[in-house]
Amino acid sequence: GAVVSQHPSRVICKSGTSVKIECRSLDFQATTMFWYRQFPKKSLMLMATSNEGSKATYEQGVEKDKFLINHASLTLSTLTVTSAHPEDSSFYICSARDGNGAGETQYFGPGTRLLVL
Amino acid sequence: DAKTTQPPSMDCAEGRAANLPCNHSTISGNEYVYWYRQIHSQGPQYIIHGLKNNETNEMASLIITEDRKSSTLILPHATLRDTAVYYCIATFRTGNQFYFGTGTSLTVIP
């Protein structure tokens, strides 16, 4: 149980385009999901907290107009990187919090590798 | 959230127990200790968590000192597949954002 999926697993796009990444909790409902980014050989950096039915909360220094987050249902959150630039190239990882049974443990998706040309 | 400190890297012989330490000297009474690991180019995998008592599951054991200022993750019989970066996180159980430190890169040697 407690599986989180992400789609796509990797994406290449041109500079200036927008890219949408989906995060789904497959076997549990997640009122809260989280989005991270990770640069090569670095640790995960929390970008934002996504709450179902309300606006996301962004960490300091993360541009909310550039990284649009929508959490429309209890099993789906999306991250849209708008007007992507090469410096947005990174590994984007989502997690979903399971509030039942496992003591509010976060389960992570497999990640999405974004390359902006 | 309490800050955690881990050694940057460790080696362990295959089949031996891997003991990964974590310091969290500023942890508060309500903060849990979570352990995750990340194999290269994958999302982090949940291992175990605890508050004050020692915990064991099918993956590992978690030993938390009585003063709760440090803990040790034990992989009882390390295999090559256990080579990964291991993260220790101290956070509140509810509303728990995770702020990852640099973790420990564990290499299991044949």
Side-chain angles (χ1 to χ4, degrees), chain A residues 46-106:
Chain A
L46 179 66
M47 299 176 66
T49 301
S50 167
N51 294 296
E52 186 266 338
S54 63
K55 290 184 179 180
T57 303
Y58 291 82
E59 294 295 305
Q60 190 173 8
V62 178
E63 299 177 58
K64 62 180 182 180
D65 294 331
K66 180 166 184 64
F67 299 100
L68 301 180
I69 293 172
N70 186 6
H71 193 160
S73 78
L74 288 173
T75 59
L76 173 64
S77 176
T78 60
L79 169 69
T80 301
V81 182
T82 63
S83 186
H85 289 94
E87 57 264 31
D88 298 323
S89 298
S90 188
F91 192 47
Y92 291 87
I93 308 169
C94 73
S95 71
R97 191 169 69 205
D98 181 358
N100 298 307
E104 302 217 18
T105 300
Q106 284 189 35

Side-chain angles (χ1 to χ4, degrees), chain A residues 23-38:
Chain A
C23 176
R24 295 181 184 271
S25 57
L26 298 185
D27 49 5
F28 65 99
Q29 293 185 330
T31 55
T32 304
M33 292 183 172
F34 304 87
W35 287 95
Y36 300 80
R37 66 189 295 182
Q38 184 176 33

